[in-house]
Structure formats: structure tokens, C-alpha cells
Amino acid sequence: MRSKDKISYFYDGDVGSVYFGPNHPMKPHRLCMTHHLVLAYGLHSKMEVYRPHKAYPVELAQFHSADYVEFLNRITPDTQHLFPSEMARYNLGEDCPVFDNLFEFCQIYAGGTIDAARRLNNQLCDIAINWAGGLHHAKKCAASGFCYINDLVLGILELLKYHPRVLYIDIDVHHGDGVEEAFYFTDRVMTVSFHKYGDKFFPGTGDMKDTGERDGRFYSINVPLKDGIDDGSFNRLFKTIISKVVETYLPGAIVLQCGADSLAGDRLGCFNLSIDGHAECVRFVKKFNLPLLVTGGGGYTKENVARCWALETGVLLDTELPNEIPDNDYIKYFAPDYSLKLPGGNIENLNSKSYIGTIKMQVMENLRCLQHAPGVQMQEVPPDFYIPDFDEDEQNPDERVDQHTQDKHIQRDDEYYEGDHDNDNHTDDA
């Protein structure tokens, strides 16, 4: 047992200021709300807080096709009408609209997950958190389900430079299809997704019989659930499956996607999980004491998303948070009771004991088909990406430099301080 986990936390206020559009359920503003709860509870003083680098196009193209990355980089709301065939090819439009600063948004959330993986690789922390990440639906050549760049795949590729085997766990209400698809043919990554399946629920994949192919056969695990699953059933199933997976697969690192749309009362979800029930999964995975990368994901009732991820930040820090939410810039969103915990829902639980038993039995059977953890002959570790330095002599002093670029020139600890030295107290994220 490690004496005390060292935790790195990634956040950039710009990520919460983008706007998908008036009727779109994805509200990145939930990330500002989460961060302000983290600050209000004083959790920032217990971990290292970093602003992530903006991922370079070449980094995004480690998974995505270069033409798709290039198109995301140049398309704007004003020019999208000029490219109808590309918009259709890359699945941009209704679910995945083009909005102002779209590419920068992708660079920031993907940069956070890549940075998190690198800090874990270099043993600079035990746990790394990027609540802005977890956009698990994005495909190699297309956007999908509100996701444009698949930061999870990029983070896992980074972890694979140092770890022969990486375990990916997904507790979003939607199937983690983009991550599963990326690693469907390899035994280097095991993907385990707990999600709603059936009734044409998005994305429509994630059947129990989809277990991977070729070298990846039996390395994709799907746990298809019906409406209304509650804390008790979900946690029992989760703990049984994940403990067996870790025992069998022996991963060197774990990536945990904590989509909060599996909570009761979510605008797009259909489960009955309380925040405590959701957080119990995080607590359980932490106990394995393996390098752990934690991301956000879905979650469309934004005050509940903020509650959930703030509480889970506390869980990762072994810090019990008072149920009464402290005063913060977004306190009005937590009216009328201003409490952190959210009870389970009361949708009818359609997951019978026999149905849960069948899932458990099938997953255990598939795990038995794995002979043992695959051996990987490790080559020389590829370098982290070369990030070009600025030549100060070539900088035009009359040219306006944005804050993000200025920050790169400053030697700093990248930490938040309390009182007058708090980097964050002059930022208006609303």
C-alpha cells in the first residue's frame, strides 16, 4: 500500500467557455462548475494543478487520420456551408456541430489526457485527473456522439509506450465504442464497458457477444444493462468483473472513464445510480494501487455532473467532503438544498437477478478463455513528442501574444495558491 498517492489534476478555464449551441445537451460549462467545487472544497491544495498543453495536430494524428484533423483545424461556423461533402464524411452537423473555437477545445481536452498519461509514465504522479477528457465515441476519421477527438485512445497509446498492458474501464451510460474499436484487434489493451444496451439506445453497439477479434479476441468486455439499474446491482457486478479482470489480465496501468450520465436524473440517461454508487466504482479501482488516469465523459444534468466529479476528486484524494456545498461562483445552480450527495432514482429496475447472473457468467467464461496475460517484447521507448521551442529573437515584440502562449514562457510551478496568489481568482469562467 502506498503511503499517500500523488495526484496531478489538469484544468484550463477556456475548455468550459465553448458553446455547442442553444438546444444541444452537451454543456462544457459543467467543467467550470466542477472546478469551482474542487476549489471551494479546498481540494486544489492537496494535489498538483496544471494547465494542459494544447495538443499539436501531429499528436492528434497518432490516432486520427491527418485529413480529418486538418479539416477540424480549419472549419468554422462561417465556412461550414462551403464543405457539405466533408461535413457529411466526417459526421459533423447536428450531434457534432461546428462551433467557435472547436479545434482549440479539442486540443485542450486531448492535451490534458496526453499530459496525464505522460506524468504517469514518468512516475511523477500515481493518479492523474482530466475531467474535460473522456470523449469516447470519436472515431479515427469521424466525429460521433458529441465527441470529435478521442483523447482516451491518445492517452492509452501514450501509456502503451511504457506499459505492456493497459486496462480501460468505462462507466458512462453509453457504450465506449470509439475506444473499443481502436483496440479491437490487440491484446495490449483490454476494454471493459458497462452501459445501457437495447431499445436503439446510442450508439447501438456493445453487445455481450462482441469480444474482440484476431489477437484481441476476448480482450473486449461488454456489460450490456437495461434501464433502472441501481447502486447495489451495479456495484456488485462492477466489483466482481473488475477484480477478475485485474487478476487475469495484470494491467500495468488503468484508464477509468467516469461518464456521469449513468447517474439518476440525467437528461439523456436511464440508470438509477446515486453519486455515492457512481463514486464507489472510483474508490474500488483506486484500491488496486496501479497508475490510474481518470477522465470525465458524458453527463447532461450539469449541476449533478459537477457534484459527482467533485466528490470523486475527493475520493481519489482520500478526502471526505461535507455534504453542504461551500459558497462558490456557481452556488445558485445547487439550490434549493445545496447538498453534494444525490440519491438514487426510482425508474423501474429492468435488470432481473437472473439477467445480471447471465451477464456475470458469460463474462467470467470469456475471461477463462484467456490463457494468461499476454507477454509483450518491449522495444526502446519512443520519445514523447518533440515540442518546438520558441526562438525569442524571432518574436515580434509588437505582436499580441495570447495568454496561453505567454504562460509557456514563464517558469512556474503550475499550481494554484490560496489567497492573493491564487492563479484562478481573477478568471471569469461564466
Side-chain angles (χ1 to χ4, degrees):
M1 186 73 180
R2 292 188 293 241
S3 57
K4 198 159 180 9
D5 287 317
K6 189 171 183 187
I7 301 193
S8 296
Y9 169 98
F10 294 87
Y11 177 74
D12 183 328
D14 289 347
V15 86
S17 59
V18 299
Y19 186 50
F20 275 61
N23 300 311
H24 201 288
M26 177 61 98
K27 310 286 184 196
H29 181 241
R30 67 203 179 129
L31 299 165
C32 297
M33 292 169 64
T34 301
H35 182 63
H36 279 264
L37 280 188
V38 165
L39 294 176
Y41 276 111
L43 298 176
H44 58 296
S45 62
K46 300 180 182 218
M47 50 191 182
E48 296 178 335
V49 179
Y50 297 97
R51 175 183 282 163
H53 86 288
K54 289 181 189 169
Y56 289 83
V58 66
E59 293 177 281
L60 304 180
Q62 292 304 296
F63 170 56
H64 294 283
S65 63
D67 61 313
Y68 172 55
V69 171
E70 194 271 329
F71 187 75
L72 281 181
N73 195 0
R74 71 185 158 94
I75 194 69
T76 68
D78 295 336
T79 59
Q80 59 182 328
H81 68 281
L82 302 173
F83 302 98
S85 63
E86 288 93 338
M87 290 287 290
R89 183 190 320 150
Y90 299 130
N91 196 33
L92 296 168
E94 284 190 22
D95 270 4
C96 302
V98 173
F99 50 80
D100 288 328
N101 302 313
L102 165 62
F103 192 66
E104 184 184 37
F105 171 69
C106 295
Q107 288 179 293
I108 294 170
Y109 78 71
T113 301
I114 293 167
D115 285 352
R118 288 184 185 152
R119 286 194 72 79
L120 289 166
N121 280 345
N122 292 309
Q123 298 179 0
L124 297 171
C125 62
D126 304 303
I127 297 170
I129 304 169
N130 177 27
W131 293 125
L135 280 75
H136 58 175
H137 296 305
K139 306 295 196 295
K140 183 181 172 71
C141 305
S144 175
F146 318 158
C147 306
Y148 302 84
I149 292 293
N150 199 316
D151 62 291
L152 292 157
V153 171
L154 295 170
I156 291 167
L157 289 173
E158 203 65 34
L159 290 169
L160 287 171
K161 292 178 181 179
Y162 284 72
H163 301 282
R165 293 173 301 283
V166 174
L167 170 61
Y168 171 71
I169 305 169
D170 189 317
I171 58 171
D172 194 290
V173 77
H174 300 96
H175 176 230
D177 58 338
V179 183
E180 176 183 281
E181 188 177 295
F183 300 110
Y184 206 61
F185 300 112
T186 179
D187 54 12
R188 296 276 316 273
V189 179
M190 179 172 276
T191 61
V192 187
S193 179
F194 297 79
H195 51 267
K196 153 82 177 178
Y197 179 73
D199 310 321
K200 299 187 176 165
F201 193 74
F202 185 86
T205 51
D207 194 334
M208 198 157 37
K209 69 181 189 322
D210 299 329
T211 58
E213 291 177 20
R214 304 205 296 254
D215 288 349
R217 186 152 184 242
F218 301 123
Y219 290 92
S220 291
I221 294 176
N222 284 301
V223 184
L225 301 165
K226 299 177 182 179
D227 288 8
I229 194 157
D230 55 27
D231 289 353
S233 312
F234 193 92
N235 288 144
R236 279 191 299 275
L237 193 56
F238 182 87
K239 290 177 180 182
T240 304
I241 290 172
I242 295 303
S243 47
K244 192 66 182 171
V245 162
V246 172
E247 177 194 320
T248 309
Y249 187 60
L250 300 174
I254 300 178
V255 177
L256 176 60
Q257 196 269 20
C258 298
D261 45 10
S262 42
L263 290 173
D266 187 81
R267 190 171 159 189
L268 298 185
C270 53
F271 285 176
N272 280 329
L273 298 187
S274 70
I275 287 180
D276 275 336
H278 196 275
E280 185 57 32
C281 298
V282 178
R283 186 175 283 109
F284 187 74
V285 172
K286 180 183 186 293
K287 283 179 182 161
F288 291 107
N289 288 324
L290 288 165
L292 176 59
L293 199 170
V294 179
T295 73
Y300 306 99
T301 302
K302 60 185 185 175
E303 61 277 14
N304 293 346
V305 176
R307 285 179 165 107
C308 182
W309 293 344
L311 184 108
E312 287 171 353
T313 305
V315 164
L316 293 166
L317 287 164
D318 291 317
T319 302
E320 185 83 30
L321 303 184
N323 196 32
E324 187 177 338
I325 292 176
D327 191 29
N328 68 88
D329 287 1
Y330 301 103
I331 192 71
K332 66 178 188 288
Y333 287 95
F334 304 103
D337 57 353
Y338 305 102
S339 59
L340 183 65
K341 304 263 176 99
L342 174 81
N346 47 21
I347 299 172
E348 185 189 354
N349 186 354
L350 301 180
N351 300 273
S352 65
K353 277 190 175 164
S354 66
Y355 179 70
I356 297 276
T358 304
I359 292 177
K360 200 181 296 183
M361 203 166 61
Q362 187 60 62
V363 169
M364 292 303 167
E365 185 53 44
N366 291 347
L367 282 169
R368 270 193 291 276
C369 294
L370 301 179
Q371 295 304 301
H372 51 78
V376 176
Q377 188 179 354
M378 295 299 278
Q379 309 296 328
E380 187 180 340
V381 176
D384 289 344
F385 285 103
Y386 166 69
I387 307 299
D389 283 328
F390 293 101
D391 184 341
E392 289 186 17
D393 296 335
E394 289 182 19
Q395 295 283 304
N396 179 352
D398 299 326
E399 211 172 272
R400 186 175 172 277
V401 181
D402 68 62
Q403 185 61 45
H404 197 93
T405 310
Q406 281 180 41
D407 287 344
K408 284 187 177 172
H409 291 261
I410 301 167
Q411 293 292 321
R412 65 195 179 107
D413 293 335
D414 268 297
E415 290 195 28
Y416 289 97
Y417 297 92
E418 292 178 352
D420 297 338
H421 302 291
D422 183 352
N423 299 9
D424 203 48
N425 62 6
H426 303 302
T427 343
D428 181 9
D429 290 319

